[in-house]
Amino acid sequence: MITLKLKLKKALEISDFCKNYSFLYRKLYANFELSKDENFKKDLQTKYNLDSWFYESCCTEVKTKIAQEETHQKKQAAQIQSLEKELKETKPEGRKGKGKTFRLHRKLAYLQSRQGKKITFGRLATLRRISFLSNDRAQNQSEITQLQKKYQEQRVLPIYSIGEAPQKSNRKFGFDFPNQKIIFKPDKETKYNIFFHASKKQQKVLNQLQSRLGELPISVRLSEQWVWITYDEEKL
């Protein structure tokens, strides 16, 4: 899968939509075993004012995230096991032996500290900075407030609509790639005409996608500042 990240020419006012989608994502992530339950589904759709297509798209995104984390955790556990074995086999004698033992212990401690953690590095860096500044909250209150706002913004996810070939490649988006335009249709009464910037290289790919609309699925993520176009390069 290939994703093109494209900057919007004008910021969109869809913050409430993105926040509702983010709430839905976190609720599904925490209760994914209930995702197929019809009552659970209807309750969340009503609570966050999102239709069944956005619900299914969000389920797909959460399922992918969970699979990625499981793969990462298995890889991390294997790395820790390998380091522990190497430490047992390393003799901490002499300058080289002591240096290698120190490096192995440091790497092992880092992996163990990260084991099971799911927060992204960007958000983690923001939280660490807030924690550091809080040692002198009176002097740093202004920066702390700005960072707290930044952290909340980092928690807001782009809207996601999974591609669907029979529905002109996507049920919620129309495409006019030659004119660097997409049309977002969250419901029957609402339509956003959205223009974006694209490099020559990106535009060449977009023109190819335009010629294949309705033949291959095109998935879309949309925030207030960016749009991400995802497609299967093997089908293009």
Side-chain angles (χ1 to χ4, degrees), residues 16-69:
D16 289 343
F17 206 108
C18 291
K19 286 177 183 177
N20 282 343
Y21 184 86
S22 301
F23 290 140
L24 174 63
Y25 179 96
R26 287 192 281 275
K27 193 72 173 181
L28 281 169
Y29 183 90
N31 304 275
F32 194 68
E33 71 281 359
L34 297 175
S35 61
K36 299 299 182 182
D37 183 276
E38 286 300 319
N39 290 328
F40 180 76
K41 177 179 177 179
K42 289 178 182 178
D43 287 345
L44 291 187
Q45 285 180 219
T46 301
K47 183 175 182 179
Y48 300 121
N49 194 28
L50 294 166
D51 66 22
S52 60
W53 188 252
F54 284 116
Y55 181 90
E56 294 302 328
S57 294
C58 193
C59 282
T60 299
E61 195 169 21
V62 171
K63 184 178 180 180
T64 300
K65 181 65 175 178
I66 290 172
Q68 289 173 341
E69 288 179 346

Side-chain angles (χ1 to χ4, degrees), residues 5 26 48 64 111 115 123 155 175 203 232:
K5 183 179 180 181
R26 287 192 281 275
Y48 300 121
T64 300
L111 287 173
Q115 195 171 25
R123 285 164 50 198
R155 285 170 57 83
F175 304 107
Q203 189 61 54
D232 187 342

Side-chain angles (χ1 to χ4, degrees), residues 98-130:
K98 289 180 180 179
K100 183 177 181 180
T101 301
F102 173 76
R103 288 192 297 272
L104 288 171
H105 273 297
R106 186 171 61 180
K107 189 173 182 180
L108 181 61
Y110 172 77
L111 287 173
Q112 289 173 333
S113 71
R114 293 296 305 164
Q115 195 171 25
K117 292 187 177 180
K118 300 167 184 175
I119 190 169
T120 63
F121 283 104
R123 285 164 50 198
L124 181 61
T126 303
L127 285 175
R128 283 176 173 171
R129 181 65 179 165
I130 292 172

Side-chain angles (χ1 to χ4, degrees), residues 7-8 26-27 39-40 46 53 58 75 82-83 90 99 116 119-120 123 133 144 160 165 185 200 208 214 232:
K7 177 75 172 177
L8 303 186
R26 287 192 281 275
K27 193 72 173 181
N39 290 328
F40 180 76
T46 301
W53 188 252
C58 193
K75 182 179 179 181
S82 176
L83 283 171
T90 300
I119 190 169
T120 63
R123 285 164 50 198
L133 292 172
I144 289 172
Y160 177 61
K185 301 167 287 186
K200 289 183 179 180
Q208 288 179 287
D232 187 342

